Amino acid sequence: MAVMELASVSRWFGNVVAVNDVSMSIGPGVTGLLGPNGAGKSTLIAMMSGFLPPSAGTVTLDGAPVWRREQVYRQIGIVPEREAMYDVVTGWTFVLTNASLHGLADPGAAATRAIDTVEMSDAAQREVSTYSKGMKQRIKMAAALVHDPAVLLLDEPFNGMDPRQRLHLMDLLVTMGREGRTVLFSSHILEEVEQVAGTIQVMVAGRHAASGDFREIRRLMTERPHMYTVTSSDDRALAAAALADGAVSAVELVDGQVRLQAGDSIRFGTSLPRLARAAGIRLYDVSPADESLESVFAYLVGR
Amino acid sequence: MTSGADTGAIHDIGYRKYDGPRLGSAYVFRALTLNSLRGTFGLGRSARSKVMPMLLLAILTVPALLIAGIAVIGGAEKLPVDYTAYAINLQVLVSVFVAAQAPQLVSRDLRHRVVGLYFSRPMSHGDYVRAKLLAMTGAILVLTGLPLLVLYVGALLGKMSIGSNTQGFLRGLAGAVVLSAVLAAISVTMSAFTTRRGLGVAAIVTVLLVLSGVSGTVSAIAEQQGNSSLAGWAGLLSPYSLVYVVEAKVLGADANGASMPPGAIGGVVFCLAAVAIVAGAYALLMLRYRRVSV
Amino acid sequence: MSTVVLRDLTKTYGGKVTALSGLSAELPAGVTGLVGANGAGKSTLIRILLGLTPATSGGASVLGLDVATQGPEIRGRVGYMPEHDCLPPDMTATELVVHLGRMSGLPMTAARERTADILRLVSLHEERYRPIGGYSTGMRQRVKLAQALVHDPALVLLDEPTNGLDPAGRDDMLDLIARIGALFGISVVVTSHLMGELERVCQHIVVIDGGRLLRSASTVDVTAVTGRLLVEVGDRATEVAAHLVAVGVGARAISAQSLDVELVDDATYDHIRDAVVDLGVPMVRLQRARHHMVDLFRDEQEPA
């Protein structure tokens, strides 16, 4: 059970405030750290990894500060974003060295295990310079996992990976999360985050904009009405009934569908089928038009 | 109020297809060469990039103006300086220009990987290389040729011998062409292999100055020891002395006491050397640019 | 009318590394997505299509022109937007695009006019007169796109056009790509790692895996509806499922809020509607389950 706690953390570089009064708690499971470019994600991860001290506030792991405490690296594994790697060693050597540096009892076995986990056993004997970007990421992951850390921090791990590698990494992270590890990864590609992260933390311009399950966040965005696209056996009648009932605030008939705007999604969800049944209308398709992480995100960024 | 039928219209300003002429590789080659040539003098670029080359052009031309002016006013019978020796005497300035502008021409595009945008167009590697070489040659020719023109015009205005001045001018110009080609070959090739910012400039200026120094030193020592022919052969070591020898041996210019390699062989070898430098540069450049991925 | 035809295309380097292996596909006009080829495979394919590298065996044609013998003609009719940075920082967007337009054979006036138009269409406004060095990632991508379009190509190759863009920028770029395909009348081949994006804008998709063709199909086929429905409710999904089963509809809860229902006939829709009303549970989603492009890769992983 490893919980990383950030309390009123700020980090500035001269006048540039990269992280501005952020408080969050990262527990077991997979957490996605989201934000546009320049939002402060990398800085935040650097502070959680102990590479940077916070200018204000505290970053602690299970109560103890992360900065200037080498012991913390027994519990944390880090996969940084930068691509630079020692090109001339083999993948195996790289991971083994990491294992030895951690002072593990049986570095060889640990290295083998880690490499198997990331499915790089076939390529481990080749030089890192021959690896593709995705393979380099995986080897870095193996090196980060070799000491079986309770916390795994990854900075933009999906960058440049092809779909197969991405799926593989996603499965890996989900597995790690299920094993009870605390996994945090950053991304600005929502498609990836949606499928992997149980919780998301959103950062915008250094501020902590939102946290939690993104659908829940959407529900909390009450000043924005929900948009639904509905296909039914009689769109016009349905639209009229919904408007009359008051469950929706606006309707739009478009292209064989009806778009409905509702302030309260629960009320809408209960009213729509009821109204449809009462009018003998068949519902073929009810789709929330803006419940994607994408639109939640756009809203948060625009605030 | 008349009811005009079509008094309002909304025009389509969307994407337009292009049905006009698509000019061939000759046009493209010319366009790139001219554009690059203009670029070496900062034309078509920011004001800042004009300063150095224009300043150098001025500094190289002003002495010619002064010389011609003084000669004319003083009523001289002939110019105090040989057309064929002008650039060589001011070689440091020429070297500075070459070192500063060759990287502008070539390293920039490589460093920022713009070259891929050229090669994904109908332009061939050969055309690109030739255009850049030709542009640099042209630029150096302007730099070294303009002063000669000034001298020539001055001589004509001063009513000096038309025959000998014209001959001298043409010789000087021919020499300038050879010098431009050789310097362009060396500098463009070096620039293509040193893409890091500033490295090309430093490398080229160092190489040219060092070569000049070495050539001069070896030549002087050889002369001291009475070995005139070695002193002459030492001229191969620097592009400036190489061209000077070609001018003297092949174009019939006055050697003015400088060391010359012996006999006709000397002239032939030096000529071949000049050709080899240009050809070698071309080959190396083709190799370099073939390696570029789009 | 195919824009690109690949015939058993193979490319090996030094006899050891196989970048492409026996690729055969026909890409129709419109927007085609190219997925999966990473690193070596993708650059190799692009170089071959532009006629810059010969294939080891097999062949290809672009716009009816043979890549092996008609490279320069192809490059005159095709626009290419590289993935990597390729813009000089000290030129303005206008200067660069005009210059490159001329390098594609446009006379000066046409180059200038088309540059002005294209920059407007890719939404570069006053910034076009400022040096590229100061541009944001989004602006840079748009300049790269503009230089690919200035000479009115019949086909453009866009290599990872949304790279480095945040969600808003990504959206804008995807809309632009869709417009290029639909309104400008230019065929597009776009590479990306993100299947969601491709599903959005492409009519056809080509999936390459390990140098081999995995699938070449229309997006409609790949994202075809299955015979199942996805229903999301506020909660109590298990009760809803049980209720449906009781009236003879195949259903099971996938989570506390969602269930998977077998679509037998139109009456199924009514059963679902009635079930949620009877139970007083809010229904927030009712959709035909679709395949997704990403499933193509998942299928391959089934054995695990």
Side-chain angles (χ1 to χ4, degrees):
Chain A
M1 266 297 275
V3 178
M4 181 92 58
E5 193 81 45
L6 283 87
S8 300
V9 170
S10 291
R11 173 74 204 188
W12 48 80
F13 302 98
N15 275 333
V16 178
V17 183
V19 175
N20 196 339
D21 194 22
V22 169
S23 299
M24 58 171 79
S25 180
I26 317 281
V30 184
T31 304
L33 182 62
L34 288 192
N37 289 328
K41 308 189 292 292
S42 288
T43 311
L44 204 68
I45 292 187
M47 287 193 279
M48 288 196 260
S49 325
F51 288 145
L52 276 181
S55 305
T58 57
V59 180
T60 57
L61 177 62
D62 290 337
V66 170
W67 172 245
R68 286 254 166 84
R69 198 162 63 93
E70 296 79 40
Q71 295 307 306
V72 84
Y73 292 113
R74 287 194 198 286
Q75 295 170 282
I76 301 183
I78 304 159
V79 182
E81 183 198 0
R82 258 166 262 295
E83 218 182 293
M85 285 258 292
Y86 295 113
D87 275 352
V88 292
V89 299
T90 64
W92 165 254
T93 311
F94 181 66
V95 180
L96 181 65
T97 311
N98 264 277
S100 312
L101 286 173
H102 274 291
L104 298 178
D106 188 351
T112 317
R113 257 201 322 271
I115 291 179
D116 279 344
T117 311
V118 301
E119 284 180 23
M120 281 286 287
S121 323
D122 296 331
Q125 295 305 328
R126 290 190 358 223
E127 274 185 21
V128 169
S129 55
T130 64
Y131 290 178
S132 68
K133 203 163 177 181
M135 291 166 83
K136 283 186 192 169
Q137 282 292 65
R138 282 193 276 166
I139 268 300
K140 278 195 262 178
M141 267 211 78
L145 287 170
V146 78
H147 56 296
D148 206 26
V151 177
L152 195 56
L153 303 171
L154 308 103
D155 197 350
E156 307 258 356
F158 295 106
N159 243 1
M161 282 193 171
D162 68 33
R164 180 175 299 290
Q165 291 167 341
R166 178 176 299 117
L167 274 181
H168 185 266
L169 181 59
M170 277 166 36
D171 287 343
L172 194 52
L173 292 182
V174 168
T175 311
M176 302 267 131
R178 258 191 236 126
E179 285 172 5
R181 289 187 224 254
T182 301
V183 179
L184 176 91
F185 73 98
S186 71
S187 175
H188 62 278
I189 296 171
L190 309 182
E191 202 171 299
E192 300 162 346
V193 182
E194 239 171 356
Q195 294 161 45
V196 181
T199 329
I200 61 164
Q201 305 285 354
V202 183
M203 286 198 61
V204 176
R207 302 285 306 275
H208 187 204
S211 63
D213 176 78
F214 75 87
R215 288 198 184 80
E216 267 315 303
I217 297 175
R218 179 64 187 90
R219 233 141 268 160
L220 291 170
M221 284 157 50
T222 49
E223 59 266 32
R224 234 179 53 153
H226 297 252
M227 288 287 297
Y228 290 90
T229 308
V230 176
T231 313
S232 69
S233 57
D234 190 342
D235 289 343
R236 216 167 257 282
L238 186 61
L243 213 45
D245 174 83
V248 302
S249 52
V251 302
E252 193 186 349
L253 288 161
V254 150
D255 273 354
Q257 297 171 322
V258 51
R259 292 204 193 130
L260 302 161
Q261 197 177 80
D264 180 344
S265 63
I266 302 295
R267 183 179 166 191
F268 172 81
T270 347
S271 308
L272 187 73
R274 177 176 47 83
L275 292 164
R277 180 154 86 169
I281 298 173
R282 174 171 295 153
L283 296 171
Y284 289 108
D285 197 292
V286 176
S287 302
D290 62 352
E291 217 190 58
S292 68
L293 182 49
E294 196 103 12
S295 65
V296 168
F297 191 77
Y299 165 81
L300 292 170
V301 168
R303 270 170 83 221
Chain B
M1 189 181 83
T2 51
S3 56
D6 297 296
T7 47
I10 294 180
H11 302 285
D12 178 14
I13 55 168
Y15 182 81
R16 287 182 289 181
K17 305 290 286 174
Y18 180 69
D19 299 316
R22 285 174 198 267
L23 308 171
S25 55
Y27 164 81
V28 173
F29 176 78
R30 257 198 335 269
L32 181 60
T33 308
L34 277 169
N35 194 294
S36 304
L37 174 51
R38 284 165 48 96
T40 56
F41 286 98
L43 302 173
R45 300 269 166 86
S46 67
R48 207 163 45 136
S49 58
K50 292 180 176 60
V51 172
M52 160 86 100
M54 292 302 190
L55 199 60
L56 283 168
L57 184 62
I59 298 178
L60 241 82
T61 313
V62 161
L65 259 166
L66 290 174
I67 293 172
I70 293 173
V72 169
I73 294 174
E77 292 249 317
K78 59 188 251 31
L79 293 169
V81 64
D82 273 341
Y83 290 94
T84 48
Y86 191 85
I88 318 277
N89 286 333
L90 290 171
Q91 59 178 259
V92 174
L93 290 169
V94 177
S95 294
V96 170
F97 177 87
V98 169
Q101 303 309 100
Q104 271 275 11
L105 192 69
V106 157
S107 318
R108 231 172 101 255
D109 281 356
L110 281 167
R111 188 187 327 131
H112 299 292
R113 303 179 70 181
V114 185
V115 193
L117 295 179
Y118 284 99
F119 292 149
S120 59
R121 289 175 152 75
M123 166 160 285
S124 67
H125 293 80
D127 270 353
Y128 182 86
V129 168
R130 283 188 290 271
K132 292 295 182 181
L133 277 174
L134 200 56
M136 193 66 200
T137 307
I140 306 175
L141 190 56
V142 166
L143 190 76
T144 52
L146 187 61
L148 296 183
L149 186 63
V150 166
L151 285 174
Y152 183 54
V153 167
L156 291 181
L157 286 176
K159 302 217 187 331
M160 301 180 200
S161 154
I162 297 184
S164 68
N165 269 289
T166 309
Q167 198 183 49
F169 172 62
L170 290 175
R171 252 194 220 121
L173 213 51
V177 169
V178 177
L179 180 65
S180 303
V182 170
L183 285 176
I186 297 173
S187 59
V188 171
T189 310
M190 287 186 71
S191 298
F193 285 92
T194 55
T195 48
R196 206 177 282 277
R197 183 177 261 282
L199 188 59
V201 179
I204 295 170
V205 85
T206 307
V207 164
L208 288 178
L209 291 180
V210 166
L211 284 178
S212 259
V214 168
S215 164
T217 309
V218 171
S219 192
I221 293 178
E223 282 287 2
Q224 274 249 326
Q225 313 220 314
N227 193 342
S228 236
S229 49
L230 179 62
W233 288 113
L236 274 174
L237 293 172
S238 157
Y240 294 100
S241 48
L242 188 145
V243 172
Y244 197 64
V245 167
V246 170
E247 286 175 331
K249 286 279 194 180
V250 177
L251 300 171
D254 190 352
N256 279 329
S259 317
M260 287 287 139
I265 287 282
V268 169
V269 170
F270 273 61
C271 262
L272 288 178
V275 170
I277 290 176
V278 175
Y282 184 72
L284 279 171
L285 283 169
M286 287 300 287
L287 267 172
R288 173 70 182 92
Y289 281 99
R290 285 235 170 79
R291 276 194 338 207
V292 168
S293 64
V294 284
Chain C
M1 176 39 210
S2 312
T3 50
V4 175
V5 178
L6 308 174
R7 285 181 298 269
D8 205 28
L9 195 62
T10 304
K11 178 71 181 179
T12 52
Y13 291 101
K16 283 183 295 180
V17 179
T18 306
L20 302 170
S21 177
L23 278 181
S24 294
E26 283 192 32
L27 309 188
V31 184
T32 302
L34 184 63
V35 199
N38 202 19
K42 189 178 62 171
S43 331
T44 306
L45 184 58
I46 289 176
R47 288 180 65 94
I48 291 179
L49 290 179
L50 289 173
L52 295 170
T53 304
T56 311
S57 72
S61 67
V62 174
L63 301 168
L65 302 164
D66 185 0
V67 298
T69 54
Q70 295 171 292
E73 284 105 313
I74 292 177
R75 294 196 292 277
R77 313 251 307 269
V78 169
Y80 170 53
M81 173 182 171
E83 174 187 2
H84 56 78
D85 283 328
C86 57
L87 304 174
D90 54 351
M91 287 179 93
T92 67
T94 309
E95 281 165 359
L96 180 68
V97 179
V98 168
H99 179 62
L100 290 173
R102 295 181 73 202
M103 291 297 104
S104 288
L106 296 181
M108 186 56 135
T109 325
R112 285 201 173 117
E113 288 175 357
R114 285 195 62 83
T115 295
D117 257 357
I118 297 282
L119 289 177
R120 173 177 58 89
L121 290 169
V122 301
S123 304
L124 273 171
H125 306 295
E126 329 83 57
E127 49 269 15
R128 70 173 76 176
Y129 302 116
R130 288 192 264 121
I132 294 174
Y135 286 11
S136 67
T137 314
M139 291 190 232
R140 273 173 219 263
Q141 294 291 74
R142 280 178 272 155
V143 178
K144 283 201 263 176
L145 181 60
Q147 65 79 34
L149 293 170
V150 67
H151 52 291
D152 189 26
L155 168 71
V156 284
L157 303 175
L158 309 179
D159 197 353
E160 312 262 349
T162 56
N163 231 10
L165 299 177
D166 54 22
R170 213 171 267 276
D171 267 351
D172 289 340
M173 180 58 79
L174 291 172
D175 283 343
L176 196 47
I177 294 172
R179 284 221 327 264
I180 293 173
L183 295 177
F184 297 5
I186 300 178
S187 284
V188 181
V189 173
V190 54
T191 72
S192 174
H193 291 320
L194 303 177
M195 329 237 32
E197 294 188 337
L198 297 178
E199 276 184 21
R200 238 173 90 172
V201 290
C202 302
Q203 285 101 42
H204 192 98
I205 193 85
V206 173
V207 185
I208 298 181
D209 192 30
R212 276 171 220 288
L213 184 73
L214 188 58
R215 191 84 186 276
S216 172
S218 69
T219 312
V220 169
D221 285 344
V222 172
T223 58
V225 289
T226 63
R228 310 196 71 82
L229 294 169
L230 172 65
V231 181
E232 277 179 23
V233 293
D235 63 48
R236 296 156 65 194
T238 20
E239 284 183 46
V240 179
H243 194 113
L244 286 168
V245 169
V247 293
V249 175
R252 69 184 171 95
I254 318 175
S255 74
Q257 283 104 15
S258 58
L259 44 147
D260 166 74
V261 180
E262 189 189 340
L263 176 65
V264 173
D265 56 22
D266 275 2
T268 314
Y269 293 110
D270 295 336
H271 290 307
I272 296 172
R273 180 196 65 192
D274 296 343
V276 295
V277 175
D278 288 340
L279 286 170
V281 167
M283 178 172 77
V284 289
R285 188 189 298 267
L286 168 65
Q287 281 174 336
R288 294 206 56 181
R290 288 182 170 278
H291 290 299
H292 289 284
M293 281 187 193
V294 74
D295 297 338
L296 290 170
F297 289 93
R298 260 190 233 284
D299 296 339
E300 294 286 301
Q301 294 189 318
E302 276 315 19

